[in-house]
Amino acid sequence: MGAGNSSQIYQGSGWKLLFPSWIIIGIFLLAPVLMMGVYSFLTKEFRGGVIWQFSLDAYDQFFFDRGLFGDEPPRLEWTYIGIFWRSIWQAGLATIACLLIGFPTAWFIATRNPKSRSTWLFLVTIPYWVNLLIRTVSMKFLIRDTGPLNEFLLSFGIIDAPLGLINTNFAVQLGLFYSYLPFMVLPIYAAVERYDFSLSEAAADLYAGRWTILRLVILPVVKPGIVAGCILVFVPSLGAFLAPDLLGGAKTFMIGSLIEEQFKGNAGNWPFGAAASMILLTIVMCVLLVYARNQNKVEAR
């Protein structure tokens, strides 16, 4: 059998090789999203659950306030919009914090001796041996008013009274940063590891300063790793609920916590929670599509 016939047979059976992957994607990715989409257009059942009757009440509740009895002219519901906005800027700040720490960390690891790089990567991933819930509870124990951090600062006279860190935006930021920092380090490390350091040497020979080399030589080359890290941190941070629930309070309520509340207990509103989930998914998909479109335009130039 010739090489041409073998290639045609392989191409013809390619879709069969992908069939198991399509089944897995359909069951574990598309089916849950489709179910949330369907639930968002159903009617709430009084004791929890849904009534299979088409309704736009969930989306109307999210965007409009019609008063206690629903008989007032519609006004924008700033409560849920404000929660969404808080989630976006909290996720954005967590992404920036992870980038500021993750980039130097990834650069440090990538520039070590090849024999020691695996050890450093091992140390970065150690926290992920423990469940996220346990790590978040441990962070709460660490920074609480009577926790080890305050006890240490008080014992050395650095502070006169315990720092009120719990139930603050700072605590939520700390929790998000601690939870998703490795997601920033690993993609950037992979990009830096493939970087040709002779480019930096050539730029230095042309009298370019360190910041010029970083801005004009290094960052454009490792940009794919930085973008991948930012996406991997921003997206899960946007829908996080453990850090806001355990480390924050009512003033730090995020969209992930709002969605969780709608599916918990008998008083939940499943259609509203599904609608909030679909709105969150739409925002994330729009951001990713805009980035992908701009990236394609850059590559086409």
mmCIF file with all atom_site columns, all heavy atoms in Angstrom, residues 56-77:
data_model
loop_
_atom_site.group_PDB
_atom_site.id
_atom_site.type_symbol
_atom_site.label_atom_id
_atom_site.label_alt_id
_atom_site.label_comp_id
_atom_site.label_asym_id
_atom_site.label_entity_id
_atom_site.label_seq_id
_atom_site.pdbx_PDB_ins_code
_atom_site.Cartn_x
_atom_site.Cartn_y
_atom_site.Cartn_z
_atom_site.occupancy
_atom_site.B_iso_or_equiv
_atom_site.pdbx_formal_charge
_atom_site.auth_seq_id
_atom_site.auth_comp_id
_atom_site.auth_asym_id
_atom_site.auth_atom_id
_atom_site.pdbx_PDB_model_num
ATOM 1   N N   . LEU A 1 56 ? -39.024 34.256 31.282 1.00 0.00 ? 56 LEU A N   1
ATOM 2   C CA  . LEU A 1 56 ? -37.847 35.136 31.285 1.00 0.00 ? 56 LEU A CA  1
ATOM 3   C C   . LEU A 1 56 ? -37.692 35.848 32.620 1.00 0.00 ? 56 LEU A C   1
ATOM 4   O O   . LEU A 1 56 ? -36.942 36.821 32.723 1.00 0.00 ? 56 LEU A O   1
ATOM 5   C CB  . LEU A 1 56 ? -37.966 36.171 30.151 1.00 0.00 ? 56 LEU A CB  1
ATOM 6   C CG  . LEU A 1 56 ? -37.903 35.623 28.721 1.00 0.00 ? 56 LEU A CG  1
ATOM 7   C CD1 . LEU A 1 56 ? -38.173 36.748 27.721 1.00 0.00 ? 56 LEU A CD1 1
ATOM 8   C CD2 . LEU A 1 56 ? -36.551 34.979 28.445 1.00 0.00 ? 56 LEU A CD2 1
ATOM 9   N N   . ASP A 1 57 ? -38.391 35.350 33.653 1.00 0.00 ? 57 ASP A N   1
ATOM 10  C CA  . ASP A 1 57 ? -38.370 36.022 34.951 1.00 0.00 ? 57 ASP A CA  1
ATOM 11  C C   . ASP A 1 57 ? -36.966 36.062 35.558 1.00 0.00 ? 57 ASP A C   1
ATOM 12  O O   . ASP A 1 57 ? -36.613 37.033 36.233 1.00 0.00 ? 57 ASP A O   1
ATOM 13  C CB  . ASP A 1 57 ? -39.323 35.313 35.921 1.00 0.00 ? 57 ASP A CB  1
ATOM 14  C CG  . ASP A 1 57 ? -40.780 35.524 35.550 1.00 0.00 ? 57 ASP A CG  1
ATOM 15  O OD1 . ASP A 1 57 ? -41.041 36.437 34.740 1.00 0.00 ? 57 ASP A OD1 1
ATOM 16  O OD2 . ASP A 1 57 ? -41.644 34.783 36.058 1.00 0.00 ? 57 ASP A OD2 1
ATOM 17  N N   . ALA A 1 58 ? -36.174 35.020 35.342 1.00 0.00 ? 58 ALA A N   1
ATOM 18  C CA  . ALA A 1 58 ? -34.840 34.979 35.949 1.00 0.00 ? 58 ALA A CA  1
ATOM 19  C C   . ALA A 1 58 ? -33.966 36.105 35.399 1.00 0.00 ? 58 ALA A C   1
ATOM 20  O O   . ALA A 1 58 ? -33.279 36.799 36.161 1.00 0.00 ? 58 ALA A O   1
ATOM 21  C CB  . ALA A 1 58 ? -34.198 33.622 35.685 1.00 0.00 ? 58 ALA A CB  1
ATOM 22  N N   . TYR A 1 59 ? -33.971 36.302 34.095 1.00 0.00 ? 59 TYR A N   1
ATOM 23  C CA  . TYR A 1 59 ? -33.179 37.376 33.499 1.00 0.00 ? 59 TYR A CA  1
ATOM 24  C C   . TYR A 1 59 ? -33.758 38.741 33.854 1.00 0.00 ? 59 TYR A C   1
ATOM 25  O O   . TYR A 1 59 ? -33.013 39.704 34.064 1.00 0.00 ? 59 TYR A O   1
ATOM 26  C CB  . TYR A 1 59 ? -33.115 37.202 31.981 1.00 0.00 ? 59 TYR A CB  1
ATOM 27  C CG  . TYR A 1 59 ? -32.305 36.010 31.553 1.00 0.00 ? 59 TYR A CG  1
ATOM 28  C CD1 . TYR A 1 59 ? -32.919 34.784 31.275 1.00 0.00 ? 59 TYR A CD1 1
ATOM 29  C CD2 . TYR A 1 59 ? -30.926 36.092 31.429 1.00 0.00 ? 59 TYR A CD2 1
ATOM 30  C CE1 . TYR A 1 59 ? -32.174 33.680 30.890 1.00 0.00 ? 59 TYR A CE1 1
ATOM 31  C CE2 . TYR A 1 59 ? -30.170 34.992 31.036 1.00 0.00 ? 59 TYR A CE2 1
ATOM 32  C CZ  . TYR A 1 59 ? -30.800 33.794 30.772 1.00 0.00 ? 59 TYR A CZ  1
ATOM 33  O OH  . TYR A 1 59 ? -30.052 32.707 30.400 1.00 0.00 ? 59 TYR A OH  1
ATOM 34  N N   . ASP A 1 60 ? -35.088 38.817 33.911 1.00 0.00 ? 60 ASP A N   1
ATOM 35  C CA  . ASP A 1 60 ? -35.724 40.071 34.306 1.00 0.00 ? 60 ASP A CA  1
ATOM 36  C C   . ASP A 1 60 ? -35.359 40.436 35.741 1.00 0.00 ? 60 ASP A C   1
ATOM 37  O O   . ASP A 1 60 ? -35.097 41.611 36.049 1.00 0.00 ? 60 ASP A O   1
ATOM 38  C CB  . ASP A 1 60 ? -37.248 39.943 34.160 1.00 0.00 ? 60 ASP A CB  1
ATOM 39  C CG  . ASP A 1 60 ? -37.971 41.229 34.482 1.00 0.00 ? 60 ASP A CG  1
ATOM 40  O OD1 . ASP A 1 60 ? -38.086 42.091 33.586 1.00 0.00 ? 60 ASP A OD1 1
ATOM 41  O OD2 . ASP A 1 60 ? -38.418 41.391 35.642 1.00 0.00 ? 60 ASP A OD2 1
ATOM 42  N N   . GLN A 1 61 ? -35.320 39.433 36.629 1.00 0.00 ? 61 GLN A N   1
ATOM 43  C CA  . GLN A 1 61 ? -34.934 39.677 38.026 1.00 0.00 ? 61 GLN A CA  1
ATOM 44  C C   . GLN A 1 61 ? -33.493 40.149 38.134 1.00 0.00 ? 61 GLN A C   1
ATOM 45  O O   . GLN A 1 61 ? -33.172 40.974 38.997 1.00 0.00 ? 61 GLN A O   1
ATOM 46  C CB  . GLN A 1 61 ? -35.127 38.398 38.841 1.00 0.00 ? 61 GLN A CB  1
ATOM 47  C CG  . GLN A 1 61 ? -34.720 38.523 40.298 1.00 0.00 ? 61 GLN A CG  1
ATOM 48  C CD  . GLN A 1 61 ? -34.836 37.210 41.057 1.00 0.00 ? 61 GLN A CD  1
ATOM 49  O OE1 . GLN A 1 61 ? -35.381 36.229 40.540 1.00 0.00 ? 61 GLN A OE1 1
ATOM 50  N NE2 . GLN A 1 61 ? -34.318 37.175 42.280 1.00 0.00 ? 61 GLN A NE2 1
ATOM 51  N N   . PHE A 1 62 ? -32.636 39.648 37.264 1.00 0.00 ? 62 PHE A N   1
ATOM 52  C CA  . PHE A 1 62 ? -31.230 40.027 37.335 1.00 0.00 ? 62 PHE A CA  1
ATOM 53  C C   . PHE A 1 62 ? -31.021 41.485 36.917 1.00 0.00 ? 62 PHE A C   1
ATOM 54  O O   . PHE A 1 62 ? -30.241 42.212 37.544 1.00 0.00 ? 62 PHE A O   1
ATOM 55  C CB  . PHE A 1 62 ? -30.397 39.108 36.441 1.00 0.00 ? 62 PHE A CB  1
ATOM 56  C CG  . PHE A 1 62 ? -28.918 39.279 36.596 1.00 0.00 ? 62 PHE A CG  1
ATOM 57  C CD1 . PHE A 1 62 ? -28.212 38.494 37.497 1.00 0.00 ? 62 PHE A CD1 1
ATOM 58  C CD2 . PHE A 1 62 ? -28.226 40.242 35.876 1.00 0.00 ? 62 PHE A CD2 1
ATOM 59  C CE1 . PHE A 1 62 ? -26.848 38.647 37.658 1.00 0.00 ? 62 PHE A CE1 1
ATOM 60  C CE2 . PHE A 1 62 ? -26.865 40.404 36.028 1.00 0.00 ? 62 PHE A CE2 1
ATOM 61  C CZ  . PHE A 1 62 ? -26.174 39.607 36.921 1.00 0.00 ? 62 PHE A CZ  1
ATOM 62  N N   . PHE A 1 63 ? -31.697 41.908 35.863 1.00 0.00 ? 63 PHE A N   1
ATOM 63  C CA  . PHE A 1 63 ? -31.416 43.225 35.298 1.00 0.00 ? 63 PHE A CA  1
ATOM 64  C C   . PHE A 1 63 ? -32.375 44.320 35.766 1.00 0.00 ? 63 PHE A C   1
ATOM 65  O O   . PHE A 1 63 ? -32.024 45.503 35.716 1.00 0.00 ? 63 PHE A O   1
ATOM 66  C CB  . PHE A 1 63 ? -31.458 43.165 33.766 1.00 0.00 ? 63 PHE A CB  1
ATOM 67  C CG  . PHE A 1 63 ? -30.299 42.418 33.170 1.00 0.00 ? 63 PHE A CG  1
ATOM 68  C CD1 . PHE A 1 63 ? -30.485 41.152 32.623 1.00 0.00 ? 63 PHE A CD1 1
ATOM 69  C CD2 . PHE A 1 63 ? -29.023 42.964 33.163 1.00 0.00 ? 63 PHE A CD2 1
ATOM 70  C CE1 . PHE A 1 63 ? -29.421 40.464 32.073 1.00 0.00 ? 63 PHE A CE1 1
ATOM 71  C CE2 . PHE A 1 63 ? -27.954 42.276 32.614 1.00 0.00 ? 63 PHE A CE2 1
ATOM 72  C CZ  . PHE A 1 63 ? -28.162 41.027 32.068 1.00 0.00 ? 63 PHE A CZ  1
ATOM 73  N N   . PHE A 1 64 ? -33.592 43.958 36.228 1.00 0.00 ? 64 PHE A N   1
ATOM 74  C CA  . PHE A 1 64 ? -34.587 44.978 36.529 1.00 0.00 ? 64 PHE A CA  1
ATOM 75  C C   . PHE A 1 64 ? -35.186 44.777 37.917 1.00 0.00 ? 64 PHE A C   1
ATOM 76  O O   . PHE A 1 64 ? -35.361 43.651 38.383 1.00 0.00 ? 64 PHE A O   1
ATOM 77  C CB  . PHE A 1 64 ? -35.712 44.957 35.478 1.00 0.00 ? 64 PHE A CB  1
ATOM 78  C CG  . PHE A 1 64 ? -35.242 45.229 34.082 1.00 0.00 ? 64 PHE A CG  1
ATOM 79  C CD1 . PHE A 1 64 ? -35.147 44.196 33.165 1.00 0.00 ? 64 PHE A CD1 1
ATOM 80  C CD2 . PHE A 1 64 ? -34.882 46.507 33.690 1.00 0.00 ? 64 PHE A CD2 1
ATOM 81  C CE1 . PHE A 1 64 ? -34.717 44.434 31.875 1.00 0.00 ? 64 PHE A CE1 1
ATOM 82  C CE2 . PHE A 1 64 ? -34.449 46.767 32.404 1.00 0.00 ? 64 PHE A CE2 1
ATOM 83  C CZ  . PHE A 1 64 ? -34.360 45.732 31.490 1.00 0.00 ? 64 PHE A CZ  1
ATOM 84  N N   . ASP A 1 65 ? -35.512 45.895 38.547 1.00 0.00 ? 65 ASP A N   1
ATOM 85  C CA  . ASP A 1 65 ? -36.197 45.923 39.839 1.00 0.00 ? 65 ASP A CA  1
ATOM 86  C C   . ASP A 1 65 ? -37.603 46.440 39.606 1.00 0.00 ? 65 ASP A C   1
ATOM 87  O O   . ASP A 1 65 ? -37.795 47.584 39.183 1.00 0.00 ? 65 ASP A O   1
ATOM 88  C CB  . ASP A 1 65 ? -35.437 46.828 40.808 1.00 0.00 ? 65 ASP A CB  1
ATOM 89  C CG  . ASP A 1 65 ? -36.130 46.938 42.156 1.00 0.00 ? 65 ASP A CG  1
ATOM 90  O OD1 . ASP A 1 65 ? -37.038 46.126 42.429 1.00 0.00 ? 65 ASP A OD1 1
ATOM 91  O OD2 . ASP A 1 65 ? -35.773 47.851 42.931 1.00 0.00 ? 65 ASP A OD2 1
ATOM 92  N N   . ARG A 1 66 ? -38.594 45.604 39.880 1.00 0.00 ? 66 ARG A N   1
ATOM 93  C CA  . ARG A 1 66 ? -39.991 45.980 39.676 1.00 0.00 ? 66 ARG A CA  1
ATOM 94  C C   . ARG A 1 66 ? -40.747 46.155 40.989 1.00 0.00 ? 66 ARG A C   1
ATOM 95  O O   . ARG A 1 66 ? -41.980 46.119 41.009 1.00 0.00 ? 66 ARG A O   1
ATOM 96  C CB  . ARG A 1 66 ? -40.699 44.925 38.805 1.00 0.00 ? 66 ARG A CB  1
ATOM 97  C CG  . ARG A 1 66 ? -40.077 44.778 37.427 1.00 0.00 ? 66 ARG A CG  1
ATOM 98  C CD  . ARG A 1 66 ? -40.791 43.744 36.587 1.00 0.00 ? 66 ARG A CD  1
ATOM 99  N NE  . ARG A 1 66 ? -40.178 43.575 35.295 1.00 0.00 ? 66 ARG A NE  1
ATOM 100 C CZ  . ARG A 1 66 ? -40.460 44.300 34.206 1.00 0.00 ? 66 ARG A CZ  1
ATOM 101 N NH1 . ARG A 1 66 ? -41.379 45.247 34.281 1.00 0.00 ? 66 ARG A NH1 1
ATOM 102 N NH2 . ARG A 1 66 ? -39.844 44.077 33.063 1.00 0.00 ? 66 ARG A NH2 1
ATOM 103 N N   . GLY A 1 67 ? -40.009 46.349 42.060 1.00 0.00 ? 67 GLY A N   1
ATOM 104 C CA  . GLY A 1 67 ? -40.652 46.551 43.347 1.00 0.00 ? 67 GLY A CA  1
ATOM 105 C C   . GLY A 1 67 ? -40.941 45.257 44.063 1.00 0.00 ? 67 GLY A C   1
ATOM 106 O O   . GLY A 1 67 ? -40.769 44.157 43.514 1.00 0.00 ? 67 GLY A O   1
ATOM 107 N N   . LEU A 1 68 ? -41.420 45.381 45.303 1.00 0.00 ? 68 LEU A N   1
ATOM 108 C CA  . LEU A 1 68 ? -41.651 44.204 46.139 1.00 0.00 ? 68 LEU A CA  1
ATOM 109 C C   . LEU A 1 68 ? -42.721 43.293 45.563 1.00 0.00 ? 68 LEU A C   1
ATOM 110 O O   . LEU A 1 68 ? -42.619 42.069 45.614 1.00 0.00 ? 68 LEU A O   1
ATOM 111 C CB  . LEU A 1 68 ? -42.043 44.641 47.555 1.00 0.00 ? 68 LEU A CB  1
ATOM 112 C CG  . LEU A 1 68 ? -42.291 43.525 48.571 1.00 0.00 ? 68 LEU A CG  1
ATOM 113 C CD1 . LEU A 1 68 ? -41.016 42.696 48.754 1.00 0.00 ? 68 LEU A CD1 1
ATOM 114 C CD2 . LEU A 1 68 ? -42.750 44.102 49.902 1.00 0.00 ? 68 LEU A CD2 1
ATOM 115 N N   . PHE A 1 69 ? -43.780 43.895 44.999 1.00 0.00 ? 69 PHE A N   1
ATOM 116 C CA  . PHE A 1 69 ? -44.904 43.108 44.487 1.00 0.00 ? 69 PHE A CA  1
ATOM 117 C C   . PHE A 1 69 ? -44.912 43.037 42.965 1.00 0.00 ? 69 PHE A C   1
ATOM 118 O O   . PHE A 1 69 ? -45.857 42.523 42.368 1.00 0.00 ? 69 PHE A O   1
ATOM 119 C CB  . PHE A 1 69 ? -46.233 43.702 44.978 1.00 0.00 ? 69 PHE A CB  1
ATOM 120 C CG  . PHE A 1 69 ? -46.359 43.708 46.480 1.00 0.00 ? 69 PHE A CG  1
ATOM 121 C CD1 . PHE A 1 69 ? -46.136 44.872 47.201 1.00 0.00 ? 69 PHE A CD1 1
ATOM 122 C CD2 . PHE A 1 69 ? -46.666 42.542 47.164 1.00 0.00 ? 69 PHE A CD2 1
ATOM 123 C CE1 . PHE A 1 69 ? -46.248 44.883 48.582 1.00 0.00 ? 69 PHE A CE1 1
ATOM 124 C CE2 . PHE A 1 69 ? -46.767 42.549 48.547 1.00 0.00 ? 69 PHE A CE2 1
ATOM 125 C CZ  . PHE A 1 69 ? -46.555 43.716 49.269 1.00 0.00 ? 69 PHE A CZ  1
ATOM 126 N N   . GLY A 1 70 ? -43.885 43.585 42.328 1.00 0.00 ? 70 GLY A N   1
ATOM 127 C CA  . GLY A 1 70 ? -43.770 43.498 40.878 1.00 0.00 ? 70 GLY A CA  1
ATOM 128 C C   . GLY A 1 70 ? -44.705 44.391 40.104 1.00 0.00 ? 70 GLY A C   1
ATOM 129 O O   . GLY A 1 70 ? -44.944 44.154 38.914 1.00 0.00 ? 70 GLY A O   1
ATOM 130 N N   . ASP A 1 71 ? -45.244 45.416 40.767 1.00 0.00 ? 71 ASP A N   1
ATOM 131 C CA  . ASP A 1 71 ? -46.218 46.281 40.092 1.00 0.00 ? 71 ASP A CA  1
ATOM 132 C C   . ASP A 1 71 ? -45.671 47.682 39.817 1.00 0.00 ? 71 ASP A C   1
ATOM 133 O O   . ASP A 1 71 ? -46.425 48.572 39.406 1.00 0.00 ? 71 ASP A O   1
ATOM 134 C CB  . ASP A 1 71 ? -47.487 46.386 40.933 1.00 0.00 ? 71 ASP A CB  1
ATOM 135 C CG  . ASP A 1 71 ? -47.191 46.855 42.363 1.00 0.00 ? 71 ASP A CG  1
ATOM 136 O OD1 . ASP A 1 71 ? -45.990 46.975 42.710 1.00 0.00 ? 71 ASP A OD1 1
ATOM 137 O OD2 . ASP A 1 71 ? -48.154 47.089 43.123 1.00 0.00 ? 71 ASP A OD2 1
ATOM 138 N N   . GLU A 1 72 ? -44.371 47.888 40.035 1.00 0.00 ? 72 GLU A N   1
ATOM 139 C CA  . GLU A 1 72 ? -43.770 49.196 39.799 1.00 0.00 ? 72 GLU A CA  1
ATOM 140 C C   . GLU A 1 72 ? -43.075 49.224 38.446 1.00 0.00 ? 72 GLU A C   1
ATOM 141 O O   . GLU A 1 72 ? -42.728 48.177 37.898 1.00 0.00 ? 72 GLU A O   1
ATOM 142 C CB  . GLU A 1 72 ? -42.759 49.524 40.905 1.00 0.00 ? 72 GLU A CB  1
ATOM 143 C CG  . GLU A 1 72 ? -43.373 49.586 42.297 1.00 0.00 ? 72 GLU A CG  1
ATOM 144 C CD  . GLU A 1 72 ? -42.344 49.911 43.359 1.00 0.00 ? 72 GLU A CD  1
ATOM 145 O OE1 . GLU A 1 72 ? -41.190 50.248 42.977 1.00 0.00 ? 72 GLU A OE1 1
ATOM 146 O OE2 . GLU A 1 72 ? -42.674 49.819 44.556 1.00 0.00 ? 72 GLU A OE2 1
ATOM 147 N N   . PRO A 1 73 ? -42.872 50.435 37.886 1.00 0.00 ? 73 PRO A N   1
ATOM 148 C CA  . PRO A 1 73 ? -42.139 50.523 36.613 1.00 0.00 ? 73 PRO A CA  1
ATOM 149 C C   . PRO A 1 73 ? -40.734 49.946 36.776 1.00 0.00 ? 73 PRO A C   1
ATOM 150 O O   . PRO A 1 73 ? -40.096 50.127 37.813 1.00 0.00 ? 73 PRO A O   1
ATOM 151 C CB  . PRO A 1 73 ? -42.093 52.038 36.339 1.00 0.00 ? 73 PRO A CB  1
ATOM 152 C CG  . PRO A 1 73 ? -43.237 52.599 37.114 1.00 0.00 ? 73 PRO A CG  1
ATOM 153 C CD  . PRO A 1 73 ? -43.359 51.746 38.336 1.00 0.00 ? 73 PRO A CD  1
ATOM 154 N N   . PRO A 1 74 ? -40.235 49.250 35.768 1.00 0.00 ? 74 PRO A N   1
ATOM 155 C CA  . PRO A 1 74 ? -38.913 48.599 35.892 1.00 0.00 ? 74 PRO A CA  1
ATOM 156 C C   . PRO A 1 74 ? -37.780 49.615 36.001 1.00 0.00 ? 74 PRO A C   1
ATOM 157 O O   . PRO A 1 74 ? -37.733 50.606 35.279 1.00 0.00 ? 74 PRO A O   1
ATOM 158 C CB  . PRO A 1 74 ? -38.803 47.773 34.608 1.00 0.00 ? 74 PRO A CB  1
ATOM 159 C CG  . PRO A 1 74 ? -39.717 48.444 33.633 1.00 0.00 ? 74 PRO A CG  1
ATOM 160 C CD  . PRO A 1 74 ? -40.847 49.002 34.452 1.00 0.00 ? 74 PRO A CD  1
ATOM 161 N N   . ARG A 1 75 ? -36.876 49.333 36.929 1.00 0.00 ? 75 ARG A N   1
ATOM 162 C CA  . ARG A 1 75 ? -35.652 50.115 37.077 1.00 0.00 ? 75 ARG A CA  1
ATOM 163 C C   . ARG A 1 75 ? -34.473 49.146 37.051 1.00 0.00 ? 75 ARG A C   1
ATOM 164 O O   . ARG A 1 75 ? -34.609 47.977 37.389 1.00 0.00 ? 75 ARG A O   1
ATOM 165 C CB  . ARG A 1 75 ? -35.651 50.888 38.398 1.00 0.00 ? 75 ARG A CB  1
ATOM 166 C CG  . ARG A 1 75 ? -36.814 51.844 38.582 1.00 0.00 ? 75 ARG A CG  1
ATOM 167 C CD  . ARG A 1 75 ? -36.627 52.669 39.868 1.00 0.00 ? 75 ARG A CD  1
ATOM 168 N NE  . ARG A 1 75 ? -36.495 51.807 41.027 1.00 0.00 ? 75 ARG A NE  1
ATOM 169 C CZ  . ARG A 1 75 ? -37.519 51.377 41.753 1.00 0.00 ? 75 ARG A CZ  1
ATOM 170 N NH1 . ARG A 1 75 ? -38.761 51.720 41.432 1.00 0.00 ? 75 ARG A NH1 1
ATOM 171 N NH2 . ARG A 1 75 ? -37.315 50.595 42.798 1.00 0.00 ? 75 ARG A NH2 1
ATOM 172 N N   . LEU A 1 76 ? -33.317 49.639 36.659 1.00 0.00 ? 76 LEU A N   1
ATOM 173 C CA  . LEU A 1 76 ? -32.141 48.785 36.637 1.00 0.00 ? 76 LEU A CA  1
ATOM 174 C C   . LEU A 1 76 ? -31.845 48.249 38.030 1.00 0.00 ? 76 LEU A C   1
ATOM 175 O O   . LEU A 1 76 ? -31.850 49.000 38.999 1.00 0.00 ? 76 LEU A O   1
ATOM 176 C CB  . LEU A 1 76 ? -30.927 49.545 36.101 1.00 0.00 ? 76 LEU A CB  1
ATOM 177 C CG  . LEU A 1 76 ? -30.784 49.642 34.583 1.00 0.00 ? 76 LEU A CG  1
ATOM 178 C CD1 . LEU A 1 76 ? -29.556 50.477 34.232 1.00 0.00 ? 76 LEU A CD1 1
ATOM 179 C CD2 . LEU A 1 76 ? -30.690 48.263 33.937 1.00 0.00 ? 76 LEU A CD2 1
ATOM 180 N N   . GLU A 1 77 ? -31.581 46.944 38.121 1.00 0.00 ? 77 GLU A N   1
ATOM 181 C CA  . GLU A 1 77 ? -31.257 46.299 39.389 1.00 0.00 ? 77 GLU A CA  1
ATOM 182 C C   . GLU A 1 77 ? -29.749 46.388 39.601 1.00 0.00 ? 77 GLU A C   1
ATOM 183 O O   . GLU A 1 77 ? -28.981 45.548 39.125 1.00 0.00 ? 77 GLU A O   1
ATOM 184 C CB  . GLU A 1 77 ? -31.717 44.844 39.365 1.00 0.00 ? 77 GLU A CB  1
ATOM 185 C CG  . GLU A 1 77 ? -31.393 44.047 40.617 1.00 0.00 ? 77 GLU A CG  1
ATOM 186 C CD  . GLU A 1 77 ? -31.920 44.694 41.871 1.00 0.00 ? 77 GLU A CD  1
ATOM 187 O OE1 . GLU A 1 77 ? -33.085 44.474 42.199 1.00 0.00 ? 77 GLU A OE1 1
ATOM 188 O OE2 . GLU A 1 77 ? -31.131 45.430 42.501 1.00 0.00 ? 77 GLU A OE2 1
#
